[in-house]
Amino acid sequence: MSFEYPKLNLVKPVPSDIDIASSAVPLPIKKIAEHIGLLEDEIDFYGKYKAKVNLSTIDRLKDAENGNYVVVTGINPTPLGEGKSTTTIGLCQALGAHLNKKSFACIRQPSQGPTFGIKGGAAGGGYSQVIPMEEFNLHMTGDIHAITAANNLLSAAIDTRILHESTQTDAQLWKRLCPEAKDGSRKFSPIMIRRLVKLGINKTDPNTLTEEEISRFVRLDIDPELITWNRVLDTNDRFLRGITVGQGKEEQRFARKTNFDISVASEIMAVLALCTSLSDMRERLGRMVVGPSRAGEPVTADDLGVGGALTVLMKDAIMPTLMQTLEGTPVLVHAGPFANIAHGNSSIIADQIALKLAGKDGYVVTEAGFGADIGAEKFFDIKCRSSGLKPNCAVIVATIRALKMHGGGPKVVAGTPLDKAYTNENLELLEKGIENLSHHIKNLKKFGVGVVVAVNKFSTDSDKEVQLLVDLSMKAGANSAVMCDHWAEGGNGAIELAKAVENACKETNKDNFKYLYPLDLSIKEKIETIAKEIYGADGVEFSADAEAKIQLYTKQGFDKLPICMAKTHLSLSHDPEKKGVPTGFTLPIRDVRASIGAGFIYPLVGTMQTIPGLPTRPCFYEIDIDTNTGKVIGLTYCLVIKILVKVTRNKNNDVGNINGYIDFPSWF
């Protein structure tokens, strides 16, 4: 079937994101699916422009050679930002629509929290966007709703089980958990067999259990004070950060304090992102730990009998959603785990499917949340370890202005004109700031991948500054450093970047890829390795709570899991005010927690909000609908970014890369 990539109608000055997206005419998603090689029975349509991709695609193409695997990351974000999502989309448009390579963007699904809160949409920006952007930014195909439903079913199961165990004898629990049929027989459900196996009771006939075995089977004895599982909602609602459940007449005896998280912080989201098949997701959901028993044993979703039901609620969510860019290149949108508490990467399954469809000479570009010290390190050590996939190349996104800020430039305040340090040539300030970029380049090279620096150039960036950036990037070990303008020009503005990525993939042997640490190190040793090797810390200080948790998880057999550091994204250190490359600091670990289903231990370096709050002027003030046409109005980045229009301009003195240069954290 013939396929022609849509041509962009570039307008100067560049209109708003939603104006660009609304003026575009998406191709029918069926046409995109056929073009990339999907069969009719491998897609489930969700309207004209979205479709779920069946996991059977992986089985059909299991013998196909994988394409080149590229991750987009960045320096530590600043208020000027770098534009990783926009770069990811622009790069794929360049590879596909301009260089005629099979290319796929694999990106996270945005949360409703930032969409209606501060950050706004996450479809890219300018002429490098995913469309239809309103469908992308809102309900899409309901995956986050499925996660919310599954998470809260498990929450209900926890409190209900505590109530029933507290009000019934062993005999009563047994009678209700394993009831007699009309003929007087009893039988275990499959999930009950799982619990029996865990308990070491090798029996399948309920009538053969002893009283002691029945008691062990029916009583989970969850410690209400140590439950780690929270309810979730995909809305920025600060008043749910601390709640009391159990206020009903029959439940008052069991009241306890707990809280809500935002849905993308649910462990179920991390499970979705890290599972490799439906059976793998079933096992991961079942082994999620909700807290310990009073005896200190981990209590899982399968112990509560709910692992299978969680999987049923997630059976459609496990399939990635196929969408398209403004230039008709394919995008697989799947999962959106928190980049602090979880690993901040889209799904393994989306990458698996894309790599097979791309084939030997194709490219799959995925994005890692936050800077390379968080997102990229977790991509390599957690995501790639779970998938077994080996990346070829990492693209690290930066701007000269942001690097000057890391070099000690004046603070940037929204609505205030930029200081002359950012608009005039300042080689000394830039050279100091490039230390942050150089540090990240050297870190990325430790994993054995090629490294390409992508820089959005502004008219105020002098030739000497550009040359200094290129020279120091190469000195730090980058394969190349490339200027690009995909926000204003779409894929055409990222052609040189695409060529640099092609060359880096050719120059890099995937077999050289390696992890930062082996899993058989202790929890402490793995934490210390990340702190020293990636952040540049002198050492690590563990609180008493952290020490106790490490001992508990080691005793429970969870010490061989990878580490997912929960740390500020704004600095290489734990202090967000320390820019550049901080030295002479000790990394404080205040607590250590575990996501056993997802498969990682996450140390808390600082206080992390797991449900954001709304600002005084949220994005929803701008969002409405034209009741005559049904067209969504105002779904774009937040007002704060609009204020920055007067301080961010491109080489034509038009409004510059607003979306590309503002990269608020996903939880903000």
Side-chain angles (χ1 to χ4, degrees), residues 226-243:
L226 298 178
I227 293 171
T228 55
W229 193 264
N230 296 325
R231 289 163 172 81
V232 299
L233 183 72
D234 198 39
T235 301
N236 289 1
D237 192 343
R238 67 177 71 244
F239 284 90
L240 296 178
R241 289 173 178 168
I243 63 169

Side-chain angles (χ1 to χ4, degrees), residues 112-149:
Q112 181 178 294
T115 297
F116 291 107
I118 289 184
K119 183 178 179 182
Y127 288 102
S128 294
Q129 290 190 59
V130 181
I131 55 172
M133 69 98 78
E134 65 272 21
E135 295 184 28
F136 173 85
N137 283 316
L138 298 175
H139 306 283
M140 210 167 70
T141 49
D143 293 357
I144 292 180
H145 301 321
I147 289 165
T148 304

Side-chain angles (χ1 to χ4, degrees), residues 218-494:
V218 301
R219 293 209 174 271
L220 303 180
D221 199 26
I222 300 170
D223 188 335
E225 299 298 320
L226 298 178
I227 293 171
T228 55
W229 193 264
N230 296 325
R231 289 163 172 81
V232 299
L233 183 72
D234 198 39
T235 301
N236 289 1
D237 192 343
R238 67 177 71 244
F239 284 90
L240 296 178
R241 289 173 178 168
I243 63 169
T244 301
V245 295
Q247 294 297 310
K249 184 177 180 181
E250 296 181 5
E251 295 78 31
Q252 285 182 342
R253 289 172 49 198
F254 307 99
R256 66 181 182 89
K257 291 183 178 181
T258 181
N259 59 274
F260 272 75
D261 297 331
I262 198 163
S263 295
V264 291
S266 170
E267 185 178 347
I268 296 177
M269 175 63 90
V271 166
L272 176 65
L274 289 170
C275 70
T276 56
S277 65
L278 182 61
S279 61
D280 183 33
M281 183 173 74
R282 169 65 185 88
E283 294 304 315
R284 288 174 179 268
L285 291 173
R287 67 173 180 255
M288 292 187 304
V289 174
V290 303
S293 68
R294 287 186 172 87
E297 295 299 318
V299 178
T300 68
D302 270 352
D303 288 330
L304 285 156
V306 74
L310 301 181
T311 310
V312 169
L313 286 170
M314 294 290 293
K315 69 179 181 64
D316 294 328
I318 196 174
M319 295 186 288
T321 300
L322 176 65
M323 297 187 74
Q324 63 189 287
T325 69
L326 284 166
E327 296 190 62
T329 57
V331 180
L332 287 177
V333 187
H334 203 207
F338 239 33
N340 287 105
I341 302 302
H343 62 295
N345 284 260
S346 61
S347 79
I348 287 172
I349 286 175
D351 292 356
Q352 289 175 324
I353 291 173
L355 286 165
K356 293 300 183 187
L357 290 169
K360 179 182 177 182
D361 297 322
Y363 293 83
V364 173
V365 182
T366 189
E367 178 192 344
F370 292 151
D373 56 319
I374 297 181
E377 186 273 318
K378 294 175 182 179
F379 170 81
F380 296 131
D381 283 321
I382 298 176
K383 183 177 179 181
C384 290
R385 205 188 293 265
S386 291
S387 69
L389 297 171
K390 296 181 178 180
N392 303 72
C393 171
V395 175
I396 183 163
V397 186
T399 66
I400 286 177
R401 292 180 177 180
L403 290 170
K404 287 180 178 179
M405 190 175 196
H406 272 295
K411 189 172 183 178
V412 174
V413 179
T416 302
L418 285 175
D419 189 273
K420 290 182 179 179
Y422 297 111
T423 55
N424 293 346
E425 182 177 276
N426 192 322
L427 297 177
E428 182 179 354
L429 197 62
L430 176 60
E431 183 172 4
K432 181 65 177 175
I434 291 175
E435 292 178 6
N436 182 270
L437 172 61
S438 298
H439 185 92
H440 286 300
I441 293 171
K442 291 172 183 176
N443 280 346
L444 291 170
K445 298 297 288 187
K446 292 177 182 178
F447 294 94
V449 299
V451 179
V452 174
V453 177
V455 183
N456 292 311
K457 184 180 182 300
F458 277 64
S459 60
T460 53
D461 300 335
S462 72
D463 291 341
K464 288 183 179 179
E465 287 177 329
V466 172
Q467 191 59 52
L468 178 64
L469 173 57
V470 171
D471 291 344
L472 293 182
S473 294
M474 300 298 288
K475 184 178 179 181
N479 294 63
S480 58
V482 181
M483 302 298 151
C484 38
D485 194 15
H486 41 276
W487 180 82
E489 298 182 14
N492 188 58

Side-chain angles (χ1 to χ4, degrees), residues 491-551:
N492 188 58
I495 290 177
E496 293 306 312
L497 173 62
K499 290 179 179 178
V501 167
E502 280 189 272
N503 291 334
C505 288
K506 290 175 183 176
E507 295 168 0
T508 304
N509 184 346
K510 283 199 294 189
D511 292 335
N512 291 333
F513 172 69
K514 56 189 175 183
Y515 306 119
L516 184 67
Y517 53 80
L519 292 181
D520 58 4
L521 292 181
S522 69
I523 292 175
K524 275 190 172 183
E525 288 173 327
K526 285 179 280 199
I527 293 172
E528 288 168 351
T529 299
I530 296 171
K532 294 177 181 179
E533 291 291 321
I534 301 299
Y535 309 152
D538 288 345
V540 180
E541 181 179 57
F542 297 90
S543 71
D545 287 342
E547 294 274 9
K549 290 287 186 63
I550 290 171
Q551 290 181 19

